[in-house]
Amino acid sequence: MKKIWAYEVINMSDYQNNLQNKIRTYFQDMVVYKHPTQNKFFASISIPPYLRDWMIMRFADENGKVNLDEVKNFVSNNIPGKKDWELIKSRMINDAQRVRFLAKLRVEIDVRSGLGMFSLPDLGFPKRKNEAIVSDRLLRQSRKELLSDFETWGIIECEWDSVGLNGKEGQGAIYMVDYKPFQPYRVDIEYYKEIRKEFTLEEWVDMLLLAVDYNPLGFLDNTQKITLLSRLLPFVEKRANIIELAPKGTGKSYLMSQISKYGWLVSGGSISRARLFYDISRKNPGLVSRYDYVTLDEVQTISFPDIDEIRGALKGYLESGEYRVGDYRGVGDAGFVLMGNIPDEKMNENINMFTELPYAFQESALIDRFHGFIKGWDIPRMRENMKADGWALNVEYFSEVMHALRNEIIYPAIIDSILVVPKSSDTRDTIAIKRICSGFLKLLFPDVKREDDIDKDEFERFCLNPALQMRGIIKRQLHLMDSEYRDDLPEIKVK
């Protein structure tokens, strides 16, 4: 017999079949059949996973197989590409047609005119200012949906009017006159929590891996699985600030950019305080107020126009969730994630690994505000046998579940009741450990409603110990950067 976690499974094939049956039985309409070849097809036509799984559900037969020709027809008729855009403009301008299609869009308020201006990034439109305007009626009616996200998917309806922004003939514009957000699932979060009771812990962990497009059979041990899932902490926990250094090819960018439309990934280049926090000239809140998490990927290649300015803004935000730019005071719930590559010789928590970070982050007072460190070298490089193959929660549904869990306030209260915290504990350490514990509780034990609902040994092993390890690495690195910082942690324990 082969032991998996604390449970005994006679046959791995029987275990897998049982898990697949449970997923299909308890989640029914929220499951899709994931297959590497099928997923590769959708990636080739630039369909993100949360839209991909919706389309699979729409076109799959009872065995989960998809007619890819039907998908191609749907995409060509409903999701235009750059090559289709001129023809669509011709239909609006020359044939006076209203057009309707599914697209990724972005809406901003133009300060001078007070109007909403939209853009379609995948279509490269508009090329000039004031060519794409949101109708006043639609902006009033759908302000929350249109302005809440930096970029979002939706079904939009557009028409051309020869009278543009200045009210003169010959200065026409395309107006967006209708919009329906792409939100195909209404999440019953209480049902999701209750279903957890039907799965063993190892089954639930494997179900989560499948949900984010990973095959549990591709992992060598449970340490690899839990380390991979720790990347989801900012998805479920507000203002969970994480640093991960990992070898190349471990899937960092994919998970942070493709699984949820509620996150934003910045990959290299220069990024300003205005983009992150608040743009004074446009009066636009930045990324931390719009998203659940902001990831700076390939952080070694990111630069900042003014290092002192960005450090000051980050320290205030990472500490309290507030920021001040000029006379504007803003708040955000976004977690802040730093991700970068690290060479083999630096994969050692007992040497200063943070020399791999940009100069802007090589300040102990700033690093202290990050809650935990993910040892990305505990996650294997992406291989073909790590790609999900079988029935799984669809990505869009699971991303909505994680987004909803962020607002569940019972988990921090449970953490407070379970943990014994010495009165002499450092406040930042305590906050960090509790926040990471809360994230793991939401991921692994979402059905818990009170202290007595969870096995204390399991809580210690899968919530507290990972939290202590993740915060402990931050403390060790702080001590190596600045001897003023001690590298020990408070003796926080389970009651």
Side-chain angles (χ1 to χ4, degrees):
M1 290 193 297
K2 181 178 179 180
K3 275 202 169 188
I4 297 195
W5 303 74
Y7 306 90
E8 293 183 349
V9 179
I10 296 175
N11 184 286
M12 181 56 73
S13 177
D14 289 345
Y15 167 80
Q16 290 296 320
N17 290 336
N18 185 49
L19 175 60
Q20 292 279 287
N21 290 334
K22 281 189 177 183
I23 292 172
R24 294 191 73 181
T25 299
Y26 293 113
F27 289 102
Q28 297 183 353
D29 296 337
M30 293 299 107
V31 299
V32 294
Y33 190 86
K34 297 185 180 183
H35 189 274
T37 303
Q38 195 167 269
N39 290 354
K40 189 174 182 180
F41 164 78
F42 283 96
S44 71
I45 57 175
S46 301
I47 301 297
Y50 50 84
L51 184 56
R52 172 203 72 200
D53 284 359
W54 172 76
M55 293 174 69
I56 291 174
M57 289 176 67
R58 177 169 179 153
F59 293 105
D61 60 23
E62 61 182 11
N63 296 315
K65 294 184 178 179
V66 173
N67 185 323
L68 297 183
D69 288 331
E70 286 187 5
V71 173
K72 285 180 182 177
N73 290 334
F74 176 83
V75 171
S76 63
N77 292 329
N78 296 278
I79 308 178
K82 280 188 177 181
K83 61 182 176 58
D84 308 307
W85 182 238
E86 292 303 317
L87 180 60
I88 291 173
K89 284 199 295 187
S90 176
R91 287 169 53 196
M92 289 187 282
I93 296 171
N94 299 323
D95 301 334
Q97 291 183 9
R98 279 191 176 187
V99 295
R100 190 177 182 86
F101 53 91
L102 180 62
K104 183 166 67 177
L105 69 150
R106 171 182 175 182
V107 175
E108 294 180 334
I109 298 294
D110 180 71
V111 175
R112 289 190 176 183
S113 66
L115 296 176
M117 303 291 179
F118 74 94
S119 60
L120 306 173
D122 291 347
L123 304 179
F125 177 77
K127 293 182 178 176
R128 291 186 292 273
K129 193 176 181 182
N130 302 334
E131 286 186 332
I133 302 172
V134 182
S135 73
D136 288 340
R137 175 195 58 79
L138 180 60
L139 190 61
R140 288 193 302 271
Q141 174 184 307
S142 302
R143 179 181 302 170
K144 184 176 179 182
E145 293 87 352
L146 288 170
L147 299 177
S148 62
D149 287 329
F150 197 68
E151 287 181 355
T152 187
W153 281 83
I155 299 170
I156 65 173
E157 191 169 334
C158 296
E159 65 180 7
W160 180 76
D161 194 320
S162 60
V163 177
L165 182 64
N166 297 322
K168 296 179 182 178
E169 289 285 340
Q171 296 184 2
I174 291 176
Y175 286 81
M176 183 164 65
V177 294
D178 195 21
Y179 167 76
K180 287 185 173 57
F182 178 73
Q183 293 176 334
Y185 312 109
R186 294 203 175 274
V187 173
D188 183 345
I189 196 67
E190 294 304 319
Y191 178 80
Y192 175 86
K193 292 178 185 178
E194 286 302 307
I195 289 304
R196 168 64 180 89
K197 294 182 172 65
E198 306 299 328
F199 291 76
T200 64
L201 178 56
E202 81 275 19
E203 287 173 341
W204 189 257
V205 166
D206 288 353
M207 188 209 71
L208 296 180
L209 291 169
L210 285 164
V212 293
D213 290 352
Y214 281 89
N215 186 345
L217 296 178
F219 293 80
L220 295 177
D221 54 40
N222 302 317
T223 297
Q224 289 186 347
K225 292 180 179 182
I226 295 299
T227 306
L228 188 284
L229 292 178
S230 67
R231 287 178 175 170
L232 299 179
L233 291 171
F235 291 61
V236 296
E237 187 68 22
K238 291 182 179 179
R239 292 181 35 240
N241 306 318
I242 303 294
I243 299 174
E244 178 181 352
L245 296 177
K248 296 177 181 178
T250 56
K252 300 185 298 294
S253 303
Y254 178 82
L255 200 68
M256 305 308 287
S257 66
Q258 297 296 307
I259 296 301
S260 174
K261 62 177 180 284
Y262 295 108
W264 188 259
L265 180 135
V266 179
S267 187
S270 177
I271 186 165
S272 64
R273 183 182 68 171
R275 190 177 177 203
L276 281 176
F277 296 103
Y278 184 75
D279 190 324
I280 295 175
S281 62
R282 295 186 177 186
K283 299 188 183 302
N284 277 348
L287 297 173
V288 299
S289 292
R290 292 174 177 264
Y291 288 99
D292 287 356
Y293 61 88
V294 176
T295 301
L296 301 189
D297 191 24
E298 299 194 20
V299 69
Q300 294 97 328
T301 64
I302 288 177
S303 60
F304 304 96
D306 187 326
I307 289 178
D308 290 335
E309 179 183 72
I310 203 73
R311 274 181 176 173
L314 277 171
K315 280 191 279 192
Y317 177 76
L318 297 179
E319 183 78 18
S320 65
E322 294 184 1
Y323 57 88
R324 295 180 186 274
V325 179
D327 60 357
Y328 181 85
R329 174 187 169 276
V331 295
D333 288 328
F336 210 82
V337 183
L338 304 183
M339 285 187 157
N341 297 324
I342 186 171
D344 288 348
E345 64 272 14
K346 283 290 189 77
M347 296 178 196
N348 183 347
E349 61 196 78
N350 294 312
I351 64 174
N352 187 353
M353 298 182 291
F354 290 174
T355 54
E356 298 299 307
L357 298 177
Y359 175 70
F361 292 101
Q362 292 186 32
E363 183 190 34
S364 54
L366 182 54
I367 292 296
D368 194 19
R369 289 161 165 82
F370 283 88
H371 300 124
F373 181 90
I374 296 174
K375 294 197 291 185
W377 54 89
D378 282 343
I379 299 171
R381 280 180 60 85
M382 194 66 189
R383 303 181 304 270
E384 288 303 308
N385 70 339
M386 291 180 67
K387 296 177 180 179
D389 190 356
W391 292 99
L393 293 186
N394 80 69
V395 169
E396 171 67 12
Y397 169 74
F398 185 54
S399 72
E400 292 290 343
V401 166
M402 291 191 289
H403 180 66
L405 285 170
R406 291 169 64 85
N407 294 316
E408 296 292 304
I409 61 175
I410 191 171
Y411 299 102
I414 293 170
I415 298 294
D416 286 338
S417 68
I418 289 178
L419 295 181
V420 177
V421 180
K423 291 184 178 180
S424 60
S425 298
D426 181 273
T427 299
R428 283 190 186 143
D429 290 341
T430 303
I431 289 172
I433 291 164
K434 285 185 174 183
R435 196 160 295 177
I436 295 172
C437 278
S438 178
F440 277 119
L441 193 65
K442 292 175 182 179
L443 286 171
L444 303 179
F445 308 99
D447 56 314
V448 171
K449 294 181 179 178
R450 59 188 65 85
E451 178 187 342
D452 295 337
D453 289 344
I454 187 168
D455 180 276
K456 298 303 189 300
D457 289 336
E458 286 191 336
F459 176 84
E460 183 170 12
R461 183 179 175 190
F462 298 109
C463 297
L464 179 57
N465 287 348
L468 291 170
Q469 182 189 60
M470 291 174 69
R471 179 60 182 174
I473 297 175
I474 293 288
K475 290 301 293 286
R476 180 63 180 155
Q477 293 298 298
L478 279 171
H479 178 70
L480 293 170
M481 293 171 69
D482 184 347
S483 59
E484 226 177 86
Y485 287 85
R486 298 171 57 183
D487 62 355
D488 59 333
L489 288 173
E491 293 188 12
I492 295 177
K493 298 179 179 179
V494 176
K495 276 186 183 177

